[in-house]
Amino acid sequence: MSWRDAKQRLLQQFAQQSPSTARVQALLKALAAQADAALLALWQAASLPAQACLVAVGGFGRGELFPSSDVDVLVLLPSDVDAHMPGPLRDSLEAFISACWDAGLEIGSSVRTLPECLIEARKDLTVQTSLLEARRLAGPPKVFQAFTQAVGAAVDAPTFLRGKLLEMQQRHTKFEDTPYALEPNCKESPGGLRDLQVLMWIARGAGLGASWGELARAGLISALEARHLQRNEATLKLIRCLLHAQAGRREDRLVFDLQAAVAQRLGLKAQGTVRASELLMRRYYWAAKAVTQLNQILMLNLQERIQGVAEAAVRPLNPRFQDRAGLIDVVDEDLFQREPGAILETFVLYATVAGLKGLSSRTLRALYNARGVMDARWRSDARNREQFMTLLRAPQGQTHALRLMNQTSVLGRYLWAFRAIVGQMQHDLFHVYTVDQHILMVVRNMRRFFIPEHAHEYPFCSQLAAQFDAPALLLIAALFHDIGKGRGGDHSQIGGIEARRFARAHKLSKADAELVEFLVRKHLRLSQVAQKEDLSDPEVVAAFAREVGDARRLTALYLLTVADIRGTSPKVWNAWKGKLLEDCYRLTLRHLGGAPIKHEAEIEARRQEARQLLALRSALPDTEAPLWATLQLSYFARHEASELAWHARELWRHVGQLAGAVVRARPSPVGEGLQVLVYARDVPDLFARICGYFDGAGFNILDAKVHTTRDGVALDTFQVLSGDVGALQRDLVPLVEQKLALALAQTGPLPEPRRARLSRRVKSFPYTPRVSLRPDERAQAWVLSLSASDRAGLLYAIARVLARHRINLQLAKISTLGERVEDSFLVNGAALQNPREQLVIESELLDALALPG
């Protein structure tokens, strides 16, 4: 039977069986054995020297072969073969390698003599590593034995250890040092198979063992740890094998497209609101987390065994702990079994004692073995609660300590509600981290507000944080703000209940407990008001101020909101969003301070400031008068003084004698992007044509302020961001001014929205579109709210529907949250007065929001 047929038969048999770790291990061995047989047959048919050896190296050398992995082989030639290989030998080698490929064996081959192997191994750590796992397939055993002895003798264990550690650190950095990526690589990511292989390579290179059992017998790990390593390695192998089988190619990433298929193959079924793919990822994350913990223990033991630790590097910290070369070391390995209260003390020391950089292998092992004592009784122990509050109130180190507590599974065992969200994915097209990683990212962001060295990152937040009296309360709110996710229902309210329980158990004062619960329950509210409601309306600000209650709560909520948004995804935060939040904070603070906004006085002050700005730019007196006479109060309420002055300076000569659309642009005064002004005759499809241009030109619209003058002219201002990251914003100004004016001069039907490829994440986790149309509080206009998965041309598609029904826009709030949009529009139009017409509009909007195909 040919290799192709044999491989296909094995894979078909596996596909017909219920997958298990034992069956996967058998499959990997069987595939390797079939590859061995095919190679041996081809080798015997080749005219190669009798002293030559065929050697399996790399992963194939371990006697395992994943369905789509390469077959790595070394042709080991006799040492007396001339560097310039004789022609017949070269022809035989080329024929052998070609025959392998013709047979379907995708081999990675090298041809070397023993001296050449040693030279290459000295130059390249990867070559040296692959040779350590060599396995003879054909050729004289004595030749192979001499080869393995020479390769082993050439390994300098300390140098090899240092090189593999550096490689591992570099690889972990590439994957952001976390096993919790939403599409992890089950081979290369932290906690993946490669981490286990690195441990075995180092052990082999030092002659300490070639299996988990041998390492246990050598005293490097316990028998329990060896079993756990073997079990989690088997889980990762099972997932990787299923990925190869489902993809039909080499695919080591748990990509969104394959997660559901792999989950189904494993027989996982949705449980309530929890998807089958989510159960798969939870299984993977727990395995990867265990591998990460055990990797730390074994790696530290290997370092000590290979490099040694000088006794001078050990100093006592207290009767229970010592500093061992910068690592916290338990004096007695049974410490946590005898004194469970010392568990949290470990992390308090880590946060508060300068110079400590981690935990020793003995401490990590003691924590791993103490999971049984971290029970309900331990959680309710008053001394442990005091220790945890000591950690949160420490002047520094909380972020590193909490992350280490999560890595060692202590955080989830102390905060039982936290344990439920470890490794939990978030299918909201907004967060790019699992829930526990997002929470710890928010804690990190919050801590940075209080660190002077980071004041340049968030100047306003750092200024507010410096005046806040209880940073620990903000950290507690950060820990609990999303802890209710995955339970069904409103996670904010569930989190509020958990926060109240924590506050009661940890004896927070009534005022502090109420603040923490308020922050958790309302952690989304400031963002909603700032990004979806009209801040120029004093009633909106007044209502939010009543909801918040006082300035301390408002400041705490603002800090938590910024930390939260910054901890969701690198794509979500931008300067415009920051400005909206800060504007909302300042307006609300003024109202809470007993100085509610006096609308007319505020507008007059803004006008006066705009006149001063015009004078500074040498504008003629009363430059603003022609334009301002055509505008209503809402225009002045929604624009800052600098915008009023810019509009007046650019448009005064066009008032009353508008020939065609006037388009002006400038680099945005708020961070990146452009601010674009459009002054044109108001027609029903104007907004749609503007959106169509920005869509076609690759701009994202961040905000739109839409006004119509008393003489029927539209005055619209847009904040836009170019999709071309490398483009200089100032260079785009003349292009936008010219091209947008030309687009607005076009007549005829609106063109169809452009169709672009959907991201894999949007396709895998589509967001159900939602449309809400309701009267505003004064019943003078309608509030249109839309939610959908983001894609190119979406806003233009929405604008086309509104134009078709002659719906007028007064205000647009555009909010992109990762790959989800949450847009709000203030609209009016005759069609909205007809209930039947309303239903048609809502139906067409849902069609526009729906994903194609």
Side-chain angles (χ1 to χ4, degrees):
M1 184 182 295
S2 71
W3 158 249
R4 283 193 181 92
D5 291 340
K7 178 181 177 181
Q8 191 62 32
R9 178 177 57 82
L10 288 170
L11 292 178
Q12 284 176 349
Q13 289 176 352
F14 179 72
Q16 292 166 1
Q17 300 169 331
S18 176
S20 67
T21 54
R23 283 177 175 151
V24 161
Q25 192 61 39
L27 173 66
L28 301 184
K29 294 288 185 186
L31 286 171
Q34 288 291 346
D36 288 356
L39 285 167
L40 187 57
L42 294 169
W43 179 265
Q44 290 171 345
S47 301
L48 291 166
Q51 293 299 303
C53 277
L54 181 62
V55 179
V57 294
F60 185 41
R62 291 190 291 272
E64 297 177 343
L65 188 62
F66 284 87
S68 298
S69 290
D70 292 338
V71 178
D72 294 325
V73 297
L74 163 68
V75 177
L76 182 64
L77 296 176
S79 299
D80 58 357
V81 172
D82 188 84
H84 301 288
M85 202 176 296
L89 177 56
R90 184 183 301 109
D91 292 343
S92 297
L93 287 168
E94 290 176 355
F96 169 70
I97 293 170
S98 296
C100 290
W101 280 94
D102 292 342
L105 286 161
E106 297 180 359
I107 65 169
S109 59
S110 56
V111 181
R112 297 189 183 104
T113 63
L114 176 55
E116 288 171 341
C117 286
L118 298 177
I119 291 170
E120 290 299 317
R122 281 194 293 270
K123 291 192 301 185
D124 189 336
L125 194 65
T126 303
V127 172
Q128 188 176 57
T129 303
S130 69
L131 296 181
L132 281 174
E133 296 185 301
R135 179 170 59 89
R136 187 182 73 88
L137 298 175
K142 287 186 178 180
V143 173
F144 179 73
Q145 184 179 7
F147 163 80
T148 55
Q149 288 175 348
V151 168
V155 175
D156 178 69
T159 303
F160 186 72
L161 167 68
R162 184 174 64 248
K164 299 315 290 185
L165 277 173
L166 290 173
E167 277 186 358
M168 188 171 72
Q169 290 169 8
Q170 187 180 56
R171 176 169 50 83
H172 285 187
T173 300
K174 176 183 175 184
F175 291 98
E176 298 183 351
D177 290 302
T178 178
Y180 298 112
L182 296 189
E183 293 183 303
N185 187 308
C186 64
K187 181 182 177 184
E188 302 287 345
S189 288
L193 285 167
R194 182 66 82 203
D195 279 4
L196 296 173
Q197 291 163 4
V198 168
L199 292 169
M200 200 56 69
W201 291 334
I202 293 171
R204 278 176 177 266
L208 297 172
S211 69
W212 305 124
E214 289 181 15
L215 295 185
R217 287 190 289 275
L220 288 160
I221 49 176
S222 67
L224 175 66
E225 290 161 353
R227 289 196 298 273
H228 285 189
L229 280 165
Q230 193 170 12
R231 184 183 67 199
N232 288 294
E233 181 181 36
T235 298
L236 296 176
K237 285 180 178 179
L238 171 61
I239 291 173
R240 188 185 182 209
C241 187
L242 290 176
L243 278 171
H244 282 208
Q246 292 297 321
R249 64 183 188 282
R250 180 169 180 167
E251 177 58 87
D252 295 331
R253 297 169 302 152
L254 268 163
V255 293
F256 298 127
D257 315 53
L258 294 175
Q259 288 174 9
V262 173
Q264 183 180 13
R265 186 75 180 85
L266 284 170
L268 299 175
K269 291 185 167 70
Q271 297 177 1
T273 60
V274 181
R275 306 177 187 209
S277 60
E278 191 172 339
L279 295 174
L280 165 71
M281 296 311 296
R282 181 69 67 87
R283 179 181 296 189
Y284 170 81
Y285 291 136
W286 279 101
K289 184 176 185 179
V291 167
T292 300
Q293 290 178 255
L294 294 167
N295 174 280
Q296 288 179 303
I297 294 171
L298 181 49
M299 187 65 76
L300 287 168
N301 283 338
L302 285 169
Q303 287 178 266
E304 287 191 14
R305 186 71 63 91
I306 293 170
Q307 298 173 333
V309 177
E311 287 303 315
V314 178
R315 67 182 178 93
L317 294 171
N318 61 33
R320 292 167 297 284
F321 296 95
Q322 58 192 4
D323 175 354
R324 189 174 180 84
L327 303 177
I328 300 177
D329 188 41
V330 289
V331 173
D332 180 353
E333 287 191 2
D334 295 330
L335 170 66
F336 299 144
Q337 303 290 339
R338 290 184 291 99
E339 299 183 48
I343 292 173
L344 291 185
E345 184 186 1
T346 309
F347 301 96
V348 174
L349 288 172
Y350 180 63
T352 57
V353 177
L356 296 177
K357 58 187 180 183
L359 307 181
S360 73
S361 60
R362 294 205 316 163
T363 306
L364 288 167
R365 173 177 289 161
L367 286 171
Y368 192 78
N369 293 331
R371 289 171 297 170
V373 304
M374 289 185 262
D375 53 14
R377 183 179 176 184
W378 176 77
R379 284 189 288 278
S380 60
D381 191 307
R383 292 168 298 178
N384 289 330
R385 290 173 173 175
E386 288 176 11
Q387 289 273 22
F388 193 69
M389 290 307 300
T390 298
L391 171 61
L392 294 180
R393 290 170 176 148
Q396 60 187 19
Q398 291 95 335
T399 300
H400 297 304
L402 290 170
R403 282 180 171 170
L404 188 57
M405 287 178 71
N406 192 37
Q407 291 167 13
T408 53
S409 299
V410 174
L411 185 56
R413 290 180 181 273
Y414 181 73
L415 297 178
W416 198 247
F418 191 91
R419 181 177 172 81
I421 49 89
V422 172
Q424 181 176 309
M425 296 181 70
Q426 304 190 71
H427 303 295
D428 58 6
L429 301 179
F430 181 28
H431 298 80
V432 299
Y433 307 109
T434 55
V435 182
D436 58 320
Q437 294 302 298
H438 163 67
I439 285 176
L440 293 177
M441 187 72 74
V442 175
V443 169
R444 164 206 179 252
N445 291 343
M446 187 70 79
R447 274 294 302 143
R448 287 166 87 105
F449 296 156
F450 291 89
I451 300 173
E453 290 79 5
H454 295 288
H456 64 284
E457 297 173 347
Y458 321 95
F460 186 56
C461 289
S462 295
Q463 176 186 339
L464 295 178
Q467 302 166 15
F468 197 82
D469 58 332
L473 300 181
L474 300 181
L475 297 184
I476 296 169
L479 276 172
F480 280 88
H481 80 285
D482 275 356
I483 210 166
K485 285 195 168 179
R487 300 199 208 173
D490 186 340
H491 76 276
S492 300
Q493 301 309 311
I494 296 170
I497 294 170
E498 294 289 353
R500 188 194 313 151
R501 288 176 181 157
F502 176 91
R504 189 185 306 122
H506 291 78
K507 301 188 185 311
L508 297 187
S509 69
K510 182 181 178 182
D512 288 349
E514 289 175 349
L515 173 61
V516 170
E517 184 177 352
F518 164 81
L519 292 175
V520 174
R521 289 184 183 274
K522 300 291 185 179
H523 72 273
L524 299 173
R525 190 70 184 112
L526 174 60
S527 177
Q528 291 169 346
V529 173
Q531 297 183 66
K532 294 185 179 182
E533 300 190 30
D534 185 2
L535 295 179
S536 66
D537 185 345
E539 282 304 314
V540 169
V541 177
F544 182 57
R546 288 192 296 272
E547 191 174 358
V548 172
D550 59 54
R552 185 171 186 252
R553 284 188 169 193
L554 175 65
T555 297
L557 184 59
Y558 175 78
L559 292 173
L560 179 59
T561 302
V562 176
D564 187 16
I565 296 176
R566 296 293 297 246
T568 53
S569 163
K571 299 179 182 178
V572 170
W573 182 264
N574 56 51
W576 178 250
K577 195 164 293 184
K579 180 182 183 300
L580 291 176
L581 293 174
E582 187 173 333
D583 286 350
C584 186
Y585 172 83
R586 292 184 184 278
L587 289 168
T588 310
L589 183 66
R590 186 188 307 178
H591 197 284
L592 289 170
I597 301 166
K598 296 178 179 177
H599 211 43
E600 294 76 10
E602 178 78 15
I603 287 174
E604 187 52 43
R606 202 171 290 180
R607 283 171 164 168
Q608 189 56 36
E609 184 182 349
R611 292 187 184 100
Q612 293 171 359
L613 292 172
L614 284 167
L616 289 173
R617 297 293 296 267
S618 302
L620 295 172
D622 295 328
T623 295
E624 73 287 351
L627 177 65
W628 288 5
T630 68
L631 292 161
Q632 298 174 343
L633 285 179
S634 61
Y635 166 79
F636 299 97
R638 290 174 183 159
H639 289 280
E640 296 183 359
S642 61
E643 294 172 324
L644 299 180
W646 180 48
H647 293 173
R649 192 171 64 249
E650 297 292 347
L651 301 178
W652 67 273
R653 64 174 62 86
H654 301 286
V655 177
Q657 46 187 355
L658 185 63
V662 177
V663 178
R664 296 291 184 267
R666 65 176 181 175
S668 175
V670 183
E672 64 273 33
L674 295 176
Q675 194 172 50
V676 181
L677 166 65
V678 177
Y679 189 64
R681 289 291 170 194
D682 194 17
V683 291
D685 64 358
L686 177 65
F687 183 74
R689 291 194 184 278
I690 295 171
C691 292
Y693 164 75
F694 285 132
D695 172 50
F699 285 91
N700 296 319
I701 299 177
L702 303 179
D703 187 69
K705 294 174 182 173
V706 181
H707 301 278
T708 302
T709 66
R710 291 189 175 94
D711 51 356
V713 179
L715 196 166
D716 302 343
T717 311
F718 296 84
Q719 293 279 346
V720 300
L721 188 63
S722 172
D724 183 358
V725 179
L728 294 174
Q729 303 303 319
R730 190 172 295 279
D731 294 343
L732 296 173
V733 167
L735 177 70
V736 170
E737 291 181 341
Q738 179 188 13
K739 296 293 186 182
L740 179 51
L742 289 173
L744 297 181
Q746 301 297 316
T747 57
L750 291 166
E752 291 292 321
R754 67 186 175 104
R755 292 190 174 271
R757 291 181 60 186
L758 297 176
S759 73
R760 288 185 299 106
R761 193 165 183 214
V762 166
K763 286 192 290 186
S764 300
F765 304 117
Y767 185 81
T768 303
R770 291 184 176 87
V771 174
S772 169
L773 187 60
R774 66 186 190 280
D776 70 353
E777 291 184 0
R778 296 188 182 87
Q780 295 177 350
W782 295 77
V783 177
L784 172 63
S785 301
L786 306 169
S787 303
S789 299
D790 192 20
R791 65 181 189 275
L794 181 61
L795 185 58
Y796 177 46
I798 295 167
R800 289 176 83 241
V801 174
L802 299 181
R804 190 157 54 242
H805 292 276
R806 306 183 75 83
I807 303 297
N808 304 311
L809 263 73
Q810 298 179 23
L811 183 69
K813 287 274 192 177
I814 315 299
S815 180
T816 303
L817 308 173
E819 291 170 278
R820 187 182 93 229
V821 296
E822 296 276 356
D823 296 344
S824 298
F825 305 90
L826 196 64
V827 297
N828 60 32
L832 297 176
Q833 306 304 320
N834 185 324
R836 183 173 297 176
E837 190 74 12
Q838 268 191 46
L839 290 175
V840 172
I841 293 169
E842 290 174 329
S843 178
E844 290 184 12
L845 285 170
L846 283 171
D847 289 340
L849 297 177
L851 295 176

